[in-house]
Each structure stands twice: as structure tokens, then as C-alpha cells.
Amino acid sequence: MIGTFRNIYRGCEIILILARYDALFFLNNTRLSFLEKLLKPLRKRSSKNLTNGQKLLVSLQLLGPSFIKLGQALSIRSDLVGEKVADELKALQDRLPPFPFAKAKSIIESDLGPLETLFSHFNETPVAAASIAQVHFAKTIEGDDVAVKILRPNIAAKFARDYELLYFLAGLFDFAAPSLRRLRFKEVILKLEETTTLEMDFSYEAASASEYAENFKGDENIRVPKIYWKYSSSNVMTLEKFEGVRIDDLEALRAQGHDIHDILMKSSLLFVRQVLRDGFFHADMHPGNVLIDKDGKICVIDYGIMGRLDKETRIFLAEMLLAFLNRDYRKVADLHFEFGLISRDQDRDLFAQACRAIAEPILGLPQNQISIARLLNQLFKVFDRFKMVTETKFLLLHKTMFMAEGLGRILNPELNFWEVSRELIEEWGAENLGLRARIKTRINDTLECLDNIKKITKSASYTYTENGLILHPSTIEQLKNKEKRSFWWQIIAIGSIMTLIIQNYN
């Protein structure tokens, strides 16, 4: 009950802040639209000259870190807030005033011991301060230059209260706009909460950086920071200090003699490998997190937000991207139905036609203006008509695709990132989408299935009853002959594999 009253009180505060900056426009066509008219007298005069996106941006920044992250998530959902608002929300910066050095020192010493036994030098002024942590440069006792990331005091409790409120507001929005329940706002907030919870435990971030480094071991184009485990904990992470130029600082890159096109090709390769090859990708690759060192290597930092994709999803993604780039809209439709994103009671031909209607105006633009990220946003709007349920696992992927495309456009506005990446996607596809790959997958699936059946039959015998399958000793006796059983399992496996091969050839 106390939590409910707290959420109502905080909810009223939020509505008042949004009303002051005339940012209640998103309530139009909902059961709560009356609030915009009711609170109109509270509007600040200065808000009159702001666009809707700017009004929402200012309001979210005033509401604090959790709402900034929510705004960043909305910046890739133009189907919800409109393209113009989504573009303007991309300017949301996750920056806060730094907390005192005394607090930072206390957190380090509480987790790791006296500061002077860890570092020969520690810069008391942070080089960066965001909603979750701030970063200080230091030098270890061994003499290594490092960056030390320290969790903000009491930040976990603050986020927990905010997410409790966001769940409450999501329920309110479900009531106010029943037609949009399929967008699963609560599930979206759950994904945000899961991501933020992991982001606030630096042992997970350190593990992510370690796994990422392992995936790119031996790759001469990428640098991943070394983690100093001895100087790290769940609240403190110490990592190698990078010297480099931001990937969007083209003037500085050229001054150092870097080939901008070469950097674009390396960043394309990085995107394809981390998303398709590994299924483990950096989901916060804004320009501030991507540096270019003196050797032209891409240095990726800040592994707090990572995404994972299973093999099935990666295959779907590669096939969908290629189908759109090839303007094969029937293939796009088939993929969405086969992957279960759209139920089979919908009209497949009509969905293919809808895909054509949104893609042709975009793919028909000059090459440097083609935006797959924009195309996917338009696709979200089509999903509304075909009652597609939002898959929260695609949220981080969508964000990463936006950022990859944005980096490509910064590096060379005359080239299309996806055309540059097409060959790399096709190479991956040849290994994973071709007949040989499909047969191998089917064989592995069949053998795994047969192995599971063997394990079941080894463990017990059975008989049929009207209540299902009951195991009994007589069947065990029949299965004791190992040579016979092995022979028949081989015959079944060979027959199944041959059937799958014939099906794929047909």
C-alpha cells in the first residue's frame, strides 16, 4: 500500500514536470488525454519554441537517470513516438555531476583495501561522470596506467524505486491505451531493468570485456581493454587506460594520418563479427565509446550494456537484411512468419505487400541516404496492423544497428553502411545459411534428439495407459542387447539424415 501511494505521488510529480514543458502530447488518443488540457495553464512560456522531441528530452533529463535511459530506449522506437521525436531523443546524454572523491575513496577501500596500497597515483578529479558510475585515471603500484570506474553511492536503490514506478505507469498506460498492449511496455521495462541491474555490477561488465576480448583474440583490427581483476570488484572496475581519438573526430583522425575508409571497413567488420559470428555484441557503441589508437585499431570501451542472440535469431537477422537489400519482399514475409513474429492466421501476401510499400521509398533513395534502421522503424508501424508482439530481445539489437549505421554515416556520408557490410553478411551467410550448413544443423539436431531418446530408454521401461506412458521392466530387458540397440539407432539416424538431405535438395 505504501508503495502504491509513493508511486501515485511520484507519478503526479512526473505529470506536472511533463505538463510544465508541454510534453504530454503522447497522451493524445488515450483515455488520459484530458490531462493535457487540464494542465495547460502550467506550461512554461519557454516551451512554446521547443519541438515535441525537445520538450520530452528536457523533461526526461529533469526526471533523472532512469528516465534518461527510458528516453534512450524510445529513441529507437519511432513507431511509438514518431520519427522526428525519436531522432531528437538521440541527443539525450547520460551525464550527471560527479560525486565527491571522499565517497569514491570510501567505496574503493571498502571493497579492495587502502588506496595507497593499490595505486601509486590516483587523480581525484573524475574524467567522466554518468548516471551509474564515474571514472578516474590512476597508476597502479606496478606502474600501469589505468582507468578506475566506481559505482555511484546508493544508485541501485534509486533505480529500484524508479523501475517500480515505471511498472506502475506501464500498467496505467495499458489501461489508457488498450490497443497498444501488444507492445508489452512492462516487458520492455523489464528488459531495461535487467540491463541496468547487470550494468550496476562491475563483475559482470569485467566478465563481458573478457569474453569480448576472447572472441576477438588475434584480430589485428580491434583492441579490448585489459581487466585488472586484482583491482576490481562488483563496485569498482580497473581497466587498461586507452589513448586514442574518438571515432567521430575526423579532423583529428586525418591529422594523425588515419585512412577514414579503412576505419569504416574495420567498423563494418566489427559489427558483422560481433552480431552474427559471436551473437554477443556491444550494445552501447556511441562515438564516445569507440576510440582509434595510433596504429588505427578500433578500441571499444564500456562493456556495461551487452546483447546476446541465439543462432536461430542470427540466421533470421542475416536472411532478413539480405532479403531487404535484394528487395525480395516475399522472402522478408516468409522469414517473419517462419520465425513466429507474425501469427499464421495473418495474410502473408498482404504482409509482403506492406513490406514493399515501406521499403521501396527508402531503398529507392540515393545509396548514401538509404537507412535500414529507418526501414525497421517503419516496419514496426506495419506490425501494428498485423498484430505482431514486440520481442524485447530485439531492442538492444535495434539500438546497435542504429549506432552502427550512424558511425558509418559519420565516417563517410557518401557510402551506405549496409552496402559496405553486404559482402561480409553474405560471407557469413554462405557458411551458415547454405545447404551444407542447414544439413549439418539438421544432422546435429537429429543426433541430439536421438541421444535424448536413448537416455530416456536407458533410464526406464514403459507401458501405455489411458493416463499416458508408464515404464516397466520388460522393456528394459529388450533393450539390454547393446549391439542390437546400437545397430538400430544407426539405421534410424542414417534414415533421418538421408530424408533431411533429400528435403533440402528439393
Side-chain angles (χ1 to χ4, degrees):
M1 182 64 74
I2 294 175
T4 301
F5 281 119
R6 182 174 63 238
N7 288 334
I8 292 173
Y9 179 80
R10 177 65 170 146
C12 290
E13 281 187 327
I14 291 167
I15 290 172
L16 289 174
I17 289 174
L18 292 170
R20 286 179 64 200
Y21 289 93
D22 193 19
L24 289 173
F25 57 87
F26 62 89
L27 294 178
N28 290 336
N29 303 317
T30 73
R31 293 172 179 170
L32 299 176
S33 58
F34 69 91
L35 287 173
E36 186 178 19
K37 295 179 181 178
L38 181 67
L39 299 175
K40 189 175 181 178
L42 297 178
R43 293 178 189 172
K44 295 184 71 171
R45 289 183 180 179
S46 58
S47 67
K48 290 182 179 180
N49 299 322
L50 301 178
T51 64
N52 282 345
Q54 291 169 336
K55 293 171 184 176
L56 192 55
L57 186 149
V58 171
S59 301
L60 292 173
Q61 285 179 326
L62 288 172
L63 289 170
S66 302
F67 291 87
I68 289 174
K69 290 193 175 294
L70 177 61
Q72 290 171 337
L74 290 174
S75 72
I76 58 170
R77 294 302 305 273
S78 65
D79 58 311
L80 296 180
V81 296
E83 283 192 36
K84 189 173 181 181
V85 171
D87 285 341
E88 289 173 327
L89 285 178
K90 290 183 177 68
L92 269 173
Q93 296 295 317
D94 188 9
R95 295 172 183 165
L96 286 180
F99 54 89
F101 170 68
K103 286 277 187 182
K105 182 180 179 182
S106 174
I107 292 169
I108 293 172
E109 294 190 333
S110 176
D111 281 20
L112 302 172
L115 196 69
E116 59 273 13
T117 65
L118 303 169
F119 305 100
S120 59
H121 171 73
F122 197 96
N123 192 335
E124 295 187 8
T125 304
V127 293
S131 59
I132 286 178
Q134 66 186 36
V135 179
H136 295 253
F137 286 153
K139 189 183 287 289
T140 65
I141 288 295
E142 294 82 4
D144 293 343
D145 288 319
V146 294
V148 185
K149 189 173 181 178
I150 307 159
L151 190 71
R152 277 189 178 274
N154 306 314
I155 191 64
K158 292 176 183 176
F159 268 100
R161 286 195 298 270
D162 278 350
Y163 280 119
E164 179 187 336
L165 171 63
L166 287 172
Y167 284 121
F168 173 78
L169 294 176
L172 192 62
F173 200 77
D174 281 348
F175 163 78
S179 62
L180 295 180
R181 285 177 186 166
R182 62 169 190 84
L183 296 172
R184 303 196 296 181
F185 292 112
K186 288 183 179 179
E187 284 81 353
V188 171
I189 293 167
L190 175 62
K191 187 66 179 178
L192 282 174
E193 183 181 24
E194 289 174 351
T195 302
T196 307
T197 300
L198 289 177
E199 200 178 352
M200 289 187 292
D201 188 336
F202 292 157
S203 60
Y204 281 99
E205 182 175 347
S208 293
S210 176
E211 182 177 350
Y212 200 82
E214 192 175 296
N215 289 343
F216 285 95
K217 187 177 181 180
D219 192 321
E220 295 300 319
N221 297 321
I222 311 297
R223 273 186 68 190
V224 181
K226 172 186 174 183
I227 301 298
Y228 289 77
W229 295 98
K230 175 182 174 183
Y231 301 101
S232 300
S233 67
S234 60
N235 297 307
V236 181
M237 183 173 68
T238 302
L239 59 157
E240 175 186 1
K241 178 185 174 184
F242 272 161
E243 296 288 347
V245 177
R246 280 175 55 125
I247 196 170
D248 61 343
D249 191 346
L250 302 188
E251 187 177 337
L253 291 173
R254 290 192 182 99
Q256 291 190 0
H258 294 300
D259 183 334
I260 303 299
H261 183 73
D262 182 55
I263 293 172
L264 173 60
M265 297 306 296
K266 288 175 181 176
S267 64
S268 300
L269 186 62
L270 172 61
F271 171 81
V272 173
R273 285 182 173 171
Q274 65 175 330
V275 172
L276 296 182
R277 183 193 67 183
D278 305 327
F280 182 63
F281 58 93
H282 195 296
D284 197 22
M285 288 189 70
H286 60 76
N289 281 341
V290 186
L291 307 176
I292 307 300
D293 73 5
K294 59 183 176 60
D295 299 319
K297 292 183 179 181
I298 297 178
C299 309
V300 185
I301 59 176
D302 194 348
Y303 293 82
I305 305 176
M306 305 295 291
R308 289 191 186 274
L309 297 174
D310 56 36
K311 187 67 173 288
E312 184 183 12
T313 303
R314 283 179 271 157
I315 289 173
F316 164 77
L317 175 64
E319 289 190 305
M320 185 188 68
L321 287 173
L322 292 175
F324 266 123
L325 291 172
N326 294 327
R327 298 185 174 185
D328 186 350
Y329 304 117
R330 177 68 189 190
K331 177 70 171 177
V332 172
D334 288 342
L335 288 168
H336 280 81
F337 278 83
E338 290 167 11
F339 198 67
L341 293 177
I342 298 178
S343 64
R344 296 188 180 273
D345 63 345
Q346 297 295 314
D347 189 320
R348 191 175 299 221
D349 291 328
L350 188 60
F351 181 69
Q353 184 180 357
C355 290
R356 179 185 294 274
I358 64 168
E360 281 298 314
I362 295 173
L363 297 176
L365 293 170
Q367 189 184 78
N368 63 320
Q369 296 179 31
I370 292 173
S371 169
I372 295 294
R374 184 179 168 217
L375 190 154
L376 292 178
N377 271 336
Q378 294 290 336
L379 198 60
F380 275 125
K381 295 180 181 179
V382 172
F383 287 157
D384 185 30
R385 188 185 313 160
F386 290 90
K387 300 178 182 177
M388 174 195 164
V389 176
T390 301
E391 285 284 350
T392 54
K393 67 180 175 182
F394 287 122
L395 292 176
L396 290 179
L397 174 62
H398 195 186
K399 177 183 176 184
T400 299
M401 292 174 73
F402 254 110
M403 289 182 173
E405 189 176 89
L407 286 178
R409 190 164 282 117
I410 288 170
L411 293 169
N412 191 339
E414 300 305 314
L415 285 181
N416 179 263
F417 176 83
W418 301 106
E419 285 297 335
V420 171
S421 303
R422 181 203 284 261
E423 185 178 345
L424 300 170
I425 297 171
E426 287 176 339
E427 286 178 9
W428 185 85
E431 297 176 8
N432 295 274
L433 307 178
L435 177 61
R436 184 178 298 178
R438 290 179 185 276
I439 291 173
K440 184 178 178 181
T441 299
R442 295 285 183 89
I443 289 172
N444 289 336
D445 289 346
T446 302
L447 292 177
E448 183 180 353
C449 179
L450 293 174
D451 186 55
N452 287 334
I453 294 172
K454 287 171 70 175
K455 289 176 181 177
I456 292 171
T457 55
K458 277 182 180 180
S459 63
S461 57
Y462 54 85
T463 187
Y464 291 100
T465 73
E466 60 183 11
N467 295 321
L469 214 60
I470 296 178
L471 306 176
H472 61 80
S474 63
T475 306
I476 291 290
E477 292 298 318
Q478 294 173 14
L479 294 173
K480 280 185 177 179
N481 188 329
K482 291 183 180 180
E483 289 184 4
K484 272 188 178 181
R485 188 168 68 245
S486 175
F487 172 77
W488 286 110
W489 282 124
Q490 290 174 40
I491 292 296
I492 292 170
I494 291 169
S496 301
I497 291 165
M498 290 302 296
T499 301
L500 291 168
I501 291 173
I502 292 168
Q503 287 177 345
N504 276 281
Y505 269 109
N506 291 335

